[in-house]
């Protein structure tokens, strides 16, 4: 089995692949204060719940956007499974030319998503990841990573509103029944959800206009399942896009 680890600012997602099939996925909170030993205990407990022994794990790959957690995750793999993990970063074989001015600045998760999206469509594609930040990553028709957009995540935007507007209540982030709210809760939900949908669609329109060619749009990330059905530009949603990208990168770096 292959263990895939996606370390984000809010959550760490563990995936387990048997060949090319994602058979299990676990999500835990990203806590910079936890040690490798603590993460090891948690992961072993999660595996034991599904009758998976440490010896069942043959290899691991890590993508991390939290430098403070990259090394603890690597140590976790070494201690729990006795193998050296592959860490997504400079020097890894991606099969995708990076056209960023400084390729080292591109987050590991963004490259992983771009690789998975291009593998799926075999053409120009925009991968939109709804995480702590919302990222738009553009791949050219030739399979080159062109660049992207980084915007504030929907949850982060909502939290700022709740914290700074004293008279506004905390509301659930769901689509209200109509755009024009007739009470405070629906008015806030409209601004948060439909306002974000318009931001996504507007950016995709501008990206397509700027690059000058059509591009499929695929979304991933927690709140992507909320935004994608309301968007006129997002054509596909895949909650497992990052996991699939990690599997692909492991394959590309495991051969001769």
């Amino acid at each position: 089995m292959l263990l895939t680890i996606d370390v984000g600012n809010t959550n760490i997602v563990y995936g387990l692949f048997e060949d090319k099939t994602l058979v299990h996925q676990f999500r835990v909170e990203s806590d910079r204060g936890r040690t490798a030993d603590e993460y090891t205990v948690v992961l072993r407990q999660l595996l034991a719940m599904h009758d998976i022994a440490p010896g069942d794990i043959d290899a691991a790959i890590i993508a991390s956007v939290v430098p403070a957690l990259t090394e603890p995750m690597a140590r976790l793999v070494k201690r729990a499974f006795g193998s050296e993990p592959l860490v997504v970063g400079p020097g890894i074989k991606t099969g995708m030319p990076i056209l960023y001015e400084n390729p080292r600045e591109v987050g590991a998760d963004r490259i992983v998503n771009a690789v998975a999206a291009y593998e799926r469509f075999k053409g120009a594609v925009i991968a939109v990841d709804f995480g702590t930040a919302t990222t738009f990553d553009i791949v050219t028709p030739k399979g080159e990573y062109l660049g992207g957009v980084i915007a504030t995540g929907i949850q982060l935007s909502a939290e700022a509103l709740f914290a700074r507007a004293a008279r506004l209540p905390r509301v659930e982030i769901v689509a209200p029944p109509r755009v024009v709210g007739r009470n405070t809760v629906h008015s806030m939900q409209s601004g948060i959800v439909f306002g974000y949908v318009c931001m996504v669609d507007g950016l995709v329109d501008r990206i397509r206009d700027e690059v000058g060619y059509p591009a499929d749009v695929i979304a991933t990330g927690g709140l992507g399942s909320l935004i994608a059905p309301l968007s006129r530009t997002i054509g596909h949603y895949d909650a497992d896009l990052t996991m699939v990208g990690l599997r692909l990168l492991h394959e590309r770096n495991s051969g001769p």
Side-chain angles (χ1 to χ4, degrees):
M1 300 183 83
L2 171 67
L3 173 66
T4 55
I5 305 176
D6 175 29
V7 183
N9 288 293
T10 304
N11 292 303
I12 299 172
V13 182
Y14 302 102
L16 281 174
F17 282 88
E18 286 185 354
D19 295 323
K20 296 186 178 182
T21 303
L22 182 63
V23 292
H24 295 293
Q25 194 168 165
F26 314 112
R27 186 180 299 267
V28 301
E29 183 183 4
S30 296
D31 185 346
R32 292 161 176 80
R34 273 185 178 174
T35 66
D37 290 334
E38 290 173 309
Y39 277 113
T40 300
V41 169
V42 171
L43 181 56
R44 280 184 165 170
Q45 289 174 338
L46 291 169
L47 294 176
M49 287 170 55
H50 295 273
D51 297 319
I52 299 168
D56 296 334
I57 309 298
D58 302 304
I61 180 170
I62 301 168
S64 174
V65 298
V66 186
L69 290 178
T70 305
E71 184 56 31
M73 286 299 110
R75 288 201 302 270
L76 177 158
V77 172
K78 294 174 191 174
R79 291 177 184 177
F81 312 113
S83 62
E84 190 77 28
L86 179 67
V87 180
V88 179
I92 195 173
K93 297 176 185 175
T94 64
M96 176 173 286
I98 309 298
L99 304 185
Y100 228 53
E101 292 176 1
N102 181 356
R104 292 176 179 269
E105 291 181 357
V106 186
D109 57 335
R110 300 177 67 188
I111 297 300
V112 171
N113 287 341
V115 166
Y118 185 75
E119 180 70 17
R120 176 166 175 170
F121 294 99
K122 298 296 186 183
V125 63
I126 303 169
V128 187
D129 189 348
F130 293 88
T132 306
T134 296
T135 56
F136 298 70
D137 296 297
I138 297 87
V139 183
T140 72
K142 296 180 181 179
E144 304 156 316
Y145 180 85
L146 181 61
V149 176
I150 302 173
T152 307
I154 186 169
Q155 184 73 52
L156 204 57
S157 297
E159 289 295 335
L161 180 63
F162 303 152
R164 298 300 295 271
R167 297 190 62 185
L168 296 181
R170 182 176 295 272
V171 300
E172 183 182 5
I173 300 179
V174 296
R178 59 186 65 86
V179 175
V180 180
R182 303 201 185 154
N183 57 55
T184 300
V185 170
H186 286 171
S187 296
M188 292 176 66
Q189 289 172 333
S190 180
I192 293 168
V193 176
F194 294 133
Y196 211 80
V197 169
C198 291
M199 183 272 281
V200 170
D201 287 342
L203 278 172
V204 170
D205 287 341
R206 284 177 175 269
I207 291 167
R208 285 171 168 167
D209 288 344
E210 185 169 289
V211 299
Y213 45 75
D216 286 296
V217 181
I218 184 168
T220 191
L223 286 171
S225 59
L226 169 65
I227 301 299
L230 303 172
S231 164
R232 61 174 171 77
T233 58
I234 297 174
H236 312 270
Y237 176 75
D238 185 349
D240 303 326
L241 188 71
T242 307
M243 296 289 103
V244 171
L246 284 168
R247 177 185 62 78
L248 289 168
L249 286 179
H250 184 266
E251 289 178 2
R252 293 175 187 182
N253 286 268
S254 298

